[in-house]
Amino acid sequence: MTLNRRAFLGAAAAAASLSAPMVKAMGKPRVVVVGGGAGGATAARYIAKDSKGAIDVTLIEPTRKYYTCFFSNLYLGGFKEIEDIGHSYGGLAAGGVNVVHDWAVGVDRDAKTVSLAGGATLPYDKLILSPGIDFVEGAVDGWDVTAQNKMPHAYKAGSQSELLKAQLAAMPEGGVFAMVAPPNPYRCPPGPYERVSMVAHYLKQNNPTAKIIVADPKPKFSKMSLFQEGWANHYEGMVDWIGEDFGGGEVSVDPNAMTVTIDGEETKVDVCNVIPAMKAGRIAELAGVTDGNWAPVNAADMSTKANSDIYVLGDASQQGDMPKSGFSANSQAKVCANAVRGALTGSKVFPAKFSNTCWSLIAPNDGVKVGATYEATPEKIAKIDGFISQTGETSDVRKATYMESEGWYTGITADMMG
Protein backbone atom coordinates (compact mmCIF):
# COMPACT_ATOMS: atom_id res chain seq x y z
CA MET A 1 0.00 0.00 0.00
CA THR A 2 1.43 3.37 -1.01
CA LEU A 3 0.08 6.86 -0.48
CA ASN A 4 1.03 10.24 -1.85
CA ARG A 5 -0.48 13.71 -1.83
CA ARG A 6 -2.51 13.22 -5.01
CA ALA A 7 -3.87 9.86 -3.89
CA PHE A 8 -4.69 11.16 -0.42
CA LEU A 9 -6.56 14.22 -1.70
CA GLY A 10 -8.27 12.15 -4.39
CA ALA A 11 -9.63 9.78 -1.76
CA ALA A 12 -10.72 12.75 0.30
CA ALA A 13 -12.57 14.26 -2.66
CA ALA A 14 -14.33 10.96 -3.37
CA ALA A 15 -15.49 10.73 0.23
CA ALA A 16 -16.88 14.25 -0.03
CA SER A 17 -18.98 13.65 -3.16
CA LEU A 18 -22.27 13.82 -1.32
CA SER A 19 -25.76 14.93 -2.30
CA ALA A 20 -26.86 18.56 -2.10
CA PRO A 21 -28.05 19.67 1.34
CA MET A 22 -31.55 20.80 2.30
CA VAL A 23 -31.45 23.91 4.49
CA LYS A 24 -33.60 23.95 7.61
CA ALA A 25 -36.60 26.21 7.24
CA MET A 26 -35.84 28.20 10.41
CA GLY A 27 -32.36 29.52 9.65
CA LYS A 28 -29.01 27.82 9.44
CA PRO A 29 -28.22 24.96 11.80
CA ARG A 30 -25.14 25.60 13.93
CA VAL A 31 -22.14 23.35 14.47
CA VAL A 32 -19.47 24.24 17.01
CA VAL A 33 -16.14 22.41 16.80
CA VAL A 34 -13.72 22.56 19.74
CA GLY A 35 -10.08 21.86 18.88
CA GLY A 36 -8.29 22.72 15.64
CA GLY A 37 -6.08 19.68 15.13
CA ALA A 38 -6.33 16.82 12.67
CA GLY A 39 -9.84 15.90 13.80
CA GLY A 40 -11.43 19.27 14.51
CA ALA A 41 -9.98 21.21 11.59
CA THR A 42 -10.94 18.45 9.13
CA ALA A 43 -14.49 18.19 10.45
CA ALA A 44 -15.01 21.96 10.39
CA ARG A 45 -13.62 22.28 6.86
CA TYR A 46 -15.66 19.41 5.40
CA ILE A 47 -18.94 20.50 6.98
CA ALA A 48 -18.50 24.09 5.77
CA LYS A 49 -17.32 23.04 2.31
CA ASP A 50 -19.83 20.28 1.61
CA SER A 51 -22.85 22.13 3.00
CA LYS A 52 -22.04 25.06 0.68
CA GLY A 53 -22.94 27.56 3.37
CA ALA A 54 -26.08 25.79 4.58
CA ILE A 55 -24.53 25.13 8.01
CA ASP A 56 -22.96 27.75 10.26
CA VAL A 57 -19.62 26.29 11.41
CA THR A 58 -17.54 27.77 14.24
CA LEU A 59 -14.13 26.38 15.23
CA ILE A 60 -12.83 27.15 18.73
CA GLU A 61 -9.03 26.92 18.99
CA PRO A 62 -6.83 28.93 21.39
CA THR A 63 -3.64 28.86 19.31
CA ARG A 64 -3.24 30.91 16.15
CA LYS A 65 -0.89 28.40 14.54
CA TYR A 66 -1.26 24.64 14.60
CA TYR A 67 1.96 22.63 14.99
CA THR A 68 1.51 19.00 13.98
CA CYS A 69 2.50 16.33 16.45
CA PHE A 70 3.17 14.14 13.43
CA PHE A 71 6.61 15.07 12.04
CA SER A 72 7.50 16.96 15.25
CA ASN A 73 10.03 14.22 16.02
CA LEU A 74 11.67 14.96 12.66
CA TYR A 75 12.13 18.53 13.89
CA LEU A 76 13.98 17.16 16.95
CA GLY A 77 16.16 15.05 14.66
CA GLY A 78 17.10 17.98 12.46
CA PHE A 79 15.15 16.86 9.39
CA LYS A 80 12.60 19.69 9.66
CA GLU A 81 12.49 23.30 10.83
CA ILE A 82 9.78 24.38 13.26
CA GLU A 83 8.18 26.42 10.47
CA ASP A 84 7.78 23.23 8.43
CA ILE A 85 5.28 21.79 10.93
CA GLY A 86 3.36 25.02 11.65
CA HIS A 87 0.10 25.81 9.84
CA SER A 88 -2.26 28.79 10.02
CA TYR A 89 -6.06 28.75 10.15
CA GLY A 90 -6.39 31.24 7.29
CA GLY A 91 -7.41 28.55 4.81
CA LEU A 92 -10.27 27.41 7.05
CA ALA A 93 -11.49 30.97 7.49
CA ALA A 94 -11.35 31.54 3.74
CA GLY A 95 -13.39 28.36 3.30
CA GLY A 96 -16.27 29.65 5.40
CA VAL A 97 -15.34 28.45 8.90
CA ASN A 98 -15.72 31.04 11.66
CA VAL A 99 -12.41 30.58 13.51
CA VAL A 100 -12.48 31.86 17.11
CA HIS A 101 -9.19 31.88 19.01
CA ASP A 102 -10.28 31.23 22.59
CA TRP A 103 -10.53 28.45 25.17
CA ALA A 104 -13.74 26.46 25.51
CA VAL A 105 -14.28 26.20 29.27
CA GLY A 106 -17.75 24.72 29.64
CA VAL A 107 -20.62 22.90 27.93
CA ASP A 108 -24.29 23.15 28.92
CA ARG A 109 -25.86 20.09 27.35
CA ASP A 110 -29.42 21.11 28.26
CA ALA A 111 -29.12 24.62 26.82
CA LYS A 112 -26.83 23.34 24.03
CA THR A 113 -24.23 26.05 24.53
CA VAL A 114 -20.45 26.27 24.80
CA SER A 115 -18.85 28.82 27.15
CA LEU A 116 -15.57 30.50 26.23
CA ALA A 117 -12.89 31.89 28.53
CA GLY A 118 -13.37 35.32 26.94
CA GLY A 119 -16.96 35.43 28.16
CA ALA A 120 -18.88 34.48 25.00
CA THR A 121 -21.54 31.77 24.92
CA LEU A 122 -22.07 29.92 21.64
CA PRO A 123 -25.25 27.96 20.86
CA TYR A 124 -25.03 24.74 18.87
CA ASP A 125 -27.24 22.16 17.22
CA LYS A 126 -24.31 19.74 17.01
CA LEU A 127 -21.08 19.91 19.03
CA ILE A 128 -17.86 18.24 17.89
CA LEU A 129 -15.07 17.90 20.44
CA SER A 130 -11.54 17.16 19.25
CA PRO A 131 -9.45 18.39 22.20
CA GLY A 132 -6.55 15.96 21.96
CA ILE A 133 -4.96 14.79 25.18
CA ASP A 134 -4.24 15.95 28.70
CA PHE A 135 -2.12 14.09 31.25
CA VAL A 136 -3.23 11.88 34.13
CA GLU A 137 -2.31 13.62 37.37
CA GLY A 138 0.32 11.72 39.37
CA ALA A 139 1.08 9.32 36.53
CA VAL A 140 4.85 9.80 36.96
CA ASP A 141 6.03 10.13 40.55
CA GLY A 142 7.69 13.53 41.03
CA TRP A 143 6.36 15.13 37.83
CA ASP A 144 3.42 17.38 37.05
CA VAL A 145 2.83 20.07 34.44
CA THR A 146 4.57 22.69 36.58
CA ALA A 147 7.79 20.75 35.89
CA GLN A 148 7.37 20.72 32.11
CA ASN A 149 10.00 23.41 31.54
CA LYS A 150 12.66 21.35 33.33
CA MET A 151 11.47 17.97 32.11
CA PRO A 152 9.39 18.62 28.96
CA HIS A 153 6.81 16.23 27.59
CA ALA A 154 6.84 17.72 24.05
CA TYR A 155 3.60 15.83 23.43
CA LYS A 156 1.76 18.97 22.38
CA ALA A 157 3.88 20.25 19.51
CA GLY A 158 5.17 23.82 19.34
CA SER A 159 6.94 25.54 22.21
CA GLN A 160 7.49 22.25 24.07
CA SER A 161 9.14 20.82 20.95
CA GLU A 162 11.42 23.84 20.71
CA LEU A 163 12.31 23.55 24.40
CA LEU A 164 13.22 19.88 24.17
CA LYS A 165 15.37 20.51 21.10
CA ALA A 166 17.18 23.38 22.87
CA GLN A 167 17.87 21.11 25.84
CA LEU A 168 19.15 18.43 23.48
CA ALA A 169 21.52 20.93 21.85
CA ALA A 170 22.79 22.06 25.27
CA MET A 171 23.67 18.56 26.49
CA PRO A 172 27.31 18.21 27.61
CA GLU A 173 29.60 15.90 25.70
CA GLY A 174 28.88 12.33 26.72
CA GLY A 175 25.71 13.38 28.56
CA VAL A 176 22.59 11.34 29.31
CA PHE A 177 19.17 11.76 27.70
CA ALA A 178 16.38 9.97 29.55
CA MET A 179 12.83 9.27 28.43
CA VAL A 180 9.96 8.10 30.60
CA ALA A 181 7.70 6.35 28.09
CA PRO A 182 3.89 6.26 28.53
CA PRO A 183 1.62 3.29 29.19
CA ASN A 184 -1.00 2.26 26.65
CA PRO A 185 -3.06 3.85 25.18
CA TYR A 186 -1.11 6.93 24.15
CA ARG A 187 -1.06 9.54 21.39
CA CYS A 188 1.12 8.39 18.51
CA PRO A 189 2.58 10.34 16.75
CA PRO A 190 4.74 11.81 18.13
CA GLY A 191 5.67 8.21 18.90
CA PRO A 192 8.14 7.70 21.75
CA TYR A 193 10.27 5.26 19.77
CA GLU A 194 10.53 7.38 16.66
CA ARG A 195 11.54 10.16 19.09
CA VAL A 196 14.27 7.94 20.53
CA SER A 197 15.47 7.34 16.97
CA MET A 198 15.50 11.05 16.10
CA VAL A 199 17.27 11.99 19.33
CA ALA A 200 19.82 9.26 18.63
CA HIS A 201 20.34 10.62 15.11
CA TYR A 202 20.88 14.14 16.44
CA LEU A 203 23.32 12.92 19.11
CA LYS A 204 25.22 10.72 16.65
CA GLN A 205 25.84 13.83 14.55
CA ASN A 206 26.54 16.26 17.39
CA ASN A 207 27.36 14.35 20.59
CA PRO A 208 28.31 10.79 19.62
CA THR A 209 29.39 9.64 23.09
CA ALA A 210 26.03 10.58 24.67
CA LYS A 211 23.68 7.88 25.96
CA ILE A 212 19.90 7.41 25.85
CA ILE A 213 17.95 5.65 28.61
CA VAL A 214 14.30 4.71 28.04
CA ALA A 215 12.21 3.67 31.06
CA ASP A 216 9.11 1.94 29.69
CA PRO A 217 6.18 0.52 31.71
CA LYS A 218 5.28 -1.77 28.79
CA PRO A 219 6.82 -5.17 27.95
CA LYS A 220 6.63 -4.40 24.21
CA PHE A 221 5.58 -1.61 21.85
CA SER A 222 4.37 -1.00 18.29
CA LYS A 223 6.95 -1.81 15.59
CA MET A 224 9.33 -2.97 18.34
CA SER A 225 11.41 -5.32 16.19
CA LEU A 226 11.77 -2.65 13.50
CA PHE A 227 12.98 -0.02 15.95
CA GLN A 228 15.36 -2.36 17.75
CA GLU A 229 16.80 -3.48 14.41
CA GLY A 230 17.24 0.18 13.45
CA TRP A 231 18.87 1.15 16.74
CA ALA A 232 21.34 -1.73 16.38
CA ASN A 233 22.13 -0.79 12.77
CA HIS A 234 22.40 2.98 13.15
CA TYR A 235 23.02 3.75 16.84
CA GLU A 236 24.85 0.74 18.25
CA GLY A 237 25.40 0.98 22.00
CA MET A 238 23.64 4.35 22.38
CA VAL A 239 20.10 3.27 23.37
CA ASP A 240 19.31 1.41 26.59
CA TRP A 241 15.63 0.42 26.60
CA ILE A 242 14.40 -0.76 30.02
CA GLY A 243 11.02 -2.48 29.71
CA GLU A 244 8.50 -3.61 32.31
CA ASP A 245 10.32 -6.89 32.97
CA PHE A 246 13.41 -4.97 34.12
CA GLY A 247 11.65 -2.33 36.23
CA GLY A 248 10.81 0.17 33.51
CA GLY A 249 7.46 0.89 35.15
CA GLU A 250 8.97 1.63 38.58
CA VAL A 251 10.04 5.21 37.88
CA SER A 252 10.25 8.49 39.75
CA VAL A 253 11.87 11.76 38.77
CA ASP A 254 13.27 14.81 40.55
CA PRO A 255 13.12 17.80 38.20
CA ASN A 256 15.16 20.05 40.52
CA ALA A 257 17.97 17.54 40.98
CA MET A 258 17.62 16.27 37.37
CA THR A 259 17.57 12.64 38.45
CA VAL A 260 15.59 9.62 37.29
CA THR A 261 15.13 6.61 39.57
CA ILE A 262 14.36 3.33 37.80
CA ASP A 263 13.58 0.28 39.94
CA GLY A 264 15.36 1.89 42.89
CA GLU A 265 18.49 2.98 40.99
CA GLU A 266 18.98 6.74 40.77
CA THR A 267 20.68 8.22 37.70
CA LYS A 268 21.76 11.81 37.13
CA VAL A 269 20.60 12.95 33.68
CA ASP A 270 21.12 16.01 31.51
CA VAL A 271 17.78 15.95 29.67
CA CYS A 272 14.62 14.12 30.70
CA ASN A 273 11.62 13.76 28.41
CA VAL A 274 8.69 12.72 30.61
CA ILE A 275 5.67 11.37 28.70
CA PRO A 276 2.96 10.62 31.28
CA ALA A 277 -0.18 8.53 31.01
CA MET A 278 -2.84 10.36 29.00
CA LYS A 279 -6.54 11.11 29.04
CA ALA A 280 -9.04 13.02 26.92
CA GLY A 281 -8.64 16.79 26.77
CA ARG A 282 -10.36 18.56 29.66
CA ILE A 283 -13.36 19.91 27.74
CA ALA A 284 -14.60 16.35 27.10
CA GLU A 285 -14.75 15.78 30.85
CA LEU A 286 -16.45 19.15 31.40
CA ALA A 287 -19.03 18.19 28.77
CA GLY A 288 -19.82 15.04 30.75
CA VAL A 289 -19.06 12.64 27.91
CA THR A 290 -16.08 10.77 29.39
CA ASP A 291 -16.13 7.43 31.18
CA GLY A 292 -12.79 7.13 32.94
CA ASN A 293 -9.96 8.66 30.92
CA TRP A 294 -11.65 8.66 27.49
CA ALA A 295 -14.94 9.47 25.76
CA PRO A 296 -16.83 6.39 24.49
CA VAL A 297 -18.35 6.95 21.04
CA ASN A 298 -20.60 5.19 18.55
CA ALA A 299 -18.52 3.88 15.66
CA ALA A 300 -21.04 4.75 12.93
CA ASP A 301 -20.79 8.54 13.39
CA MET A 302 -18.43 9.29 16.34
CA SER A 303 -21.34 10.54 18.47
CA THR A 304 -20.80 10.06 22.19
CA LYS A 305 -22.53 7.35 24.18
CA ALA A 306 -23.57 10.03 26.68
CA ASN A 307 -25.22 12.48 24.26
CA SER A 308 -26.21 12.01 20.62
CA ASP A 309 -25.65 15.71 19.76
CA ILE A 310 -22.02 15.68 20.94
CA TYR A 311 -19.27 13.96 18.95
CA VAL A 312 -15.69 13.22 19.98
CA LEU A 313 -12.87 12.68 17.48
CA GLY A 314 -9.29 11.51 17.52
CA ASP A 315 -7.12 11.04 20.57
CA ALA A 316 -9.87 11.86 23.10
CA SER A 317 -12.25 9.17 21.87
CA GLN A 318 -12.64 5.59 23.04
CA GLN A 319 -13.66 4.09 19.73
CA GLY A 320 -12.17 0.62 19.43
CA ASP A 321 -9.24 -0.61 17.36
CA MET A 322 -7.85 2.57 15.78
CA PRO A 323 -4.64 4.07 17.22
CA LYS A 324 -4.56 7.63 18.53
CA SER A 325 -2.97 9.16 15.45
CA GLY A 326 -3.45 12.22 13.26
CA PHE A 327 -4.42 10.01 10.32
CA SER A 328 -7.07 8.31 12.51
CA ALA A 329 -8.49 11.65 13.63
CA ASN A 330 -8.66 12.90 10.04
CA SER A 331 -10.40 9.70 8.93
CA GLN A 332 -12.89 9.82 11.80
CA ALA A 333 -13.57 13.51 11.12
CA LYS A 334 -14.75 12.79 7.57
CA VAL A 335 -17.17 10.13 8.80
CA CYS A 336 -18.43 12.51 11.49
CA ALA A 337 -18.77 15.45 9.08
CA ASN A 338 -20.83 13.34 6.67
CA ALA A 339 -23.11 12.18 9.51
CA VAL A 340 -23.53 15.65 11.03
CA ARG A 341 -24.32 17.23 7.69
CA GLY A 342 -26.84 14.50 6.98
CA ALA A 343 -28.52 14.95 10.36
CA LEU A 344 -28.81 18.73 9.92
CA THR A 345 -29.68 19.03 6.23
CA GLY A 346 -31.07 15.67 5.14
CA SER A 347 -28.17 14.98 2.76
CA LYS A 348 -27.08 11.42 2.06
CA VAL A 349 -25.02 9.64 4.73
CA PHE A 350 -22.63 6.95 3.55
CA PRO A 351 -21.58 3.90 5.61
CA ALA A 352 -18.62 4.64 7.85
CA LYS A 353 -15.21 3.47 6.66
CA PHE A 354 -11.90 4.30 8.30
CA SER A 355 -8.20 3.94 7.55
CA ASN A 356 -4.89 4.72 9.19
CA THR A 357 -1.17 4.55 8.51
CA CYS A 358 1.55 5.49 10.99
CA TRP A 359 5.01 6.18 9.57
CA SER A 360 8.19 6.44 11.62
CA LEU A 361 11.65 7.60 10.61
CA ILE A 362 14.51 5.67 12.20
CA ALA A 363 17.45 7.24 10.33
CA PRO A 364 17.95 9.18 7.07
CA ASN A 365 15.80 7.49 4.38
CA ASP A 366 15.02 4.60 6.75
CA GLY A 367 11.25 4.79 7.14
CA VAL A 368 8.88 2.14 8.45
CA LYS A 369 5.09 2.00 8.65
CA VAL A 370 2.11 0.19 10.09
CA GLY A 371 -1.53 0.60 9.07
CA ALA A 372 -4.97 -0.87 8.65
CA THR A 373 -8.51 -0.40 7.36
CA TYR A 374 -11.52 -0.45 9.68
CA GLU A 375 -15.31 -0.62 9.70
CA ALA A 376 -18.04 0.47 12.08
CA THR A 377 -19.71 -2.30 14.10
CA PRO A 378 -22.36 -1.90 16.81
CA GLU A 379 -19.65 -2.38 19.44
CA LYS A 380 -16.69 -0.41 18.08
CA ILE A 381 -14.52 0.64 15.16
CA ALA A 382 -13.16 -2.78 14.18
CA LYS A 383 -10.00 -3.62 12.26
CA ILE A 384 -10.56 -5.39 8.94
CA ASP A 385 -7.00 -5.94 7.75
CA GLY A 386 -3.56 -4.44 8.22
CA PHE A 387 0.05 -4.23 7.09
CA ILE A 388 3.45 -3.51 8.61
CA SER A 389 7.01 -3.02 7.40
CA GLN A 390 9.30 -6.02 7.76
CA THR A 391 12.74 -6.34 9.28
CA GLY A 392 15.53 -6.72 6.76
CA GLU A 393 13.91 -4.63 4.03
CA THR A 394 16.17 -3.10 1.39
CA SER A 395 17.33 0.49 1.56
CA ASP A 396 15.25 1.26 -1.53
CA VAL A 397 12.07 0.04 0.17
CA ARG A 398 12.83 2.03 3.33
CA LYS A 399 13.56 5.19 1.34
CA ALA A 400 10.31 4.77 -0.60
CA THR A 401 8.42 4.42 2.69
CA TYR A 402 9.93 7.65 3.97
CA MET A 403 9.10 9.49 0.74
CA GLU A 404 5.55 8.16 0.99
CA SER A 405 5.26 9.74 4.44
CA GLU A 406 6.40 13.08 3.06
CA GLY A 407 3.70 12.93 0.40
CA TRP A 408 1.10 12.02 2.99
CA TYR A 409 2.13 14.93 5.22
CA THR A 410 1.63 17.41 2.39
CA GLY A 411 -1.71 15.84 1.55
CA ILE A 412 -3.18 15.62 5.04
CA THR A 413 -2.24 19.16 6.07
CA ALA A 414 -3.88 20.50 2.90
CA ASP A 415 -6.91 18.30 3.57
CA MET A 416 -7.17 19.62 7.15
CA MET A 417 -6.44 23.30 6.71
CA GLY A 418 -7.56 24.07 3.15
Side-chain angles (χ1 to χ4, degrees):
M1 177 180 177
T2 60
L3 194 64
N4 55 34
R5 179 181 184 275
R6 181 173 295 176
F8 184 88
L9 292 178
S17 298
L18 310 179
S19 61
M22 299 181 296
V23 183
K24 278 188 174 181
M26 298 180 64
K28 291 183 181 181
R30 295 162 297 198
V31 173
V32 173
V33 182
V34 177
T42 303
R45 177 172 177 262
Y46 270 76
I47 293 170
K49 174 176 68 71
D50 293 341
S51 72
K52 297 179 171 56
I55 298 174
D56 181 86
V57 183
T58 299
L59 175 68
I60 311 301
E61 168 55 49
T63 64
R64 294 185 178 273
K65 180 168 278 193
Y66 170 63
Y67 291 92
T68 58
C69 284
F70 42 99
F71 273 38
S72 63
N73 286 334
L74 274 63
Y75 162 68
L76 295 176
F79 293 89
K80 301 290 178 185
E81 299 297 328
I82 194 67
E83 295 80 10
D84 296 332
I85 62 169
H87 305 271
S88 84
Y89 290 94
L92 288 180
V97 177
N98 178 29
V99 181
V100 177
H101 293 296
D102 204 344
W103 287 95
V105 295
V107 174
D108 186 328
R109 284 167 29 179
D110 294 330
K112 299 183 79 169
T113 59
V114 178
S115 302
L116 305 185
T121 300
L122 303 180
Y124 67 84
D125 293 294
K126 297 287 187 179
L127 174 62
I128 299 173
L129 304 179
S130 191
I133 53 106
D134 279 328
F135 300 116
V136 175
E137 186 174 349
V140 176
D141 186 18
W143 189 95
D144 61 30
V145 291
T146 65
Q148 68 181 5
N149 281 357
K150 292 182 178 178
M151 292 184 169
H153 53 80
Y155 243 63
K156 299 178 182 182
S159 60
Q160 276 275 300
S161 307
E162 292 180 289
L163 174 61
L164 185 58
K165 186 165 186 178
Q167 292 183 352
L168 193 61
M171 278 179 60
E173 185 177 348
V176 177
F177 177 99
M179 173 187 284
V180 179
N184 293 323
Y186 58 88
R187 163 184 277 178
C188 184
Y193 313 100
E194 180 189 57
R195 179 169 293 176
V196 169
S197 305
M198 293 294 93
V199 168
H201 171 75
Y202 178 88
L203 293 176
K204 183 177 179 180
Q205 304 301 311
N206 298 279
N207 191 349
T209 58
K211 299 294 182 184
I212 298 171
I213 299 172
V214 183
D216 200 330
K218 304 181 293 298
K220 59 182 180 179
F221 54 85
S222 177
K223 304 194 286 282
M224 183 170 178
S225 62
L226 295 167
F227 281 113
Q228 291 188 329
E229 175 192 58
W231 296 343
N233 289 342
H234 301 292
Y235 315 115
E236 185 178 5
M238 183 178 280
V239 180
D240 183 12
W241 178 78
I242 303 169
E244 179 187 45
D245 294 342
F246 297 93
E250 300 298 321
V251 178
S252 64
V253 298
D254 186 335
N256 292 319
M258 285 302 294
T259 58
V260 178
T261 301
I262 304 171
D263 199 25
E265 182 178 345
E266 183 180 276
T267 301
K268 179 78 172 177
V269 301
D270 299 289
V271 178
C272 187
N273 176 206
V274 177
I275 310 173
M278 300 168 202
K279 63 180 182 178
R282 173 70 169 154
I283 192 64
E285 183 179 347
L286 294 174
V289 298
T290 55
D291 182 4
N293 288 337
W294 310 102
V297 298
N298 298 300
D301 61 0
M302 302 302 294
S303 63
T304 64
K305 303 278 189 177
N307 188 289
S308 61
D309 289 323
I310 301 178
Y311 303 73
V312 175
L313 306 177
D315 299 343
S317 68
Q318 179 180 307
Q319 38 69 22
D321 295 344
M322 297 188 82
K324 296 183 182 298
S325 74
F327 198 137
S328 291
N330 173 266
S331 182
Q332 293 161 16
K334 292 171 188 174
V335 168
C336 177
N338 181 202
V340 166
R341 189 165 75 91
L344 295 178
T345 69
S347 59
K348 185 174 182 179
V349 178
F350 290 91
K353 293 182 179 180
F354 307 89
S355 60
N356 175 71
T357 303
C358 289
W359 290 268
S360 299
L361 188 62
I362 298 175
N365 291 320
D366 189 354
V368 295
K369 64 182 177 180
V370 62
T373 56
Y374 307 83
E375 65 182 0
T377 71
E379 295 78 27
K380 65 177 183 176
I381 295 178
K383 181 178 176 180
I384 301 172
D385 54 34
F387 56 89
I388 187 171
S389 297
Q390 300 299 305
T391 56
E393 289 175 330
T394 67
S395 59
D396 287 344
V397 169
R398 292 295 179 85
K399 181 177 180 180
T401 299
Y402 169 62
M403 296 308 296
E404 179 183 292
S405 74
E406 288 278 5
W408 168 81
Y409 185 90
T410 302
I412 192 174
T413 50
D415 194 48
M416 290 162 49
M417 312 303 278

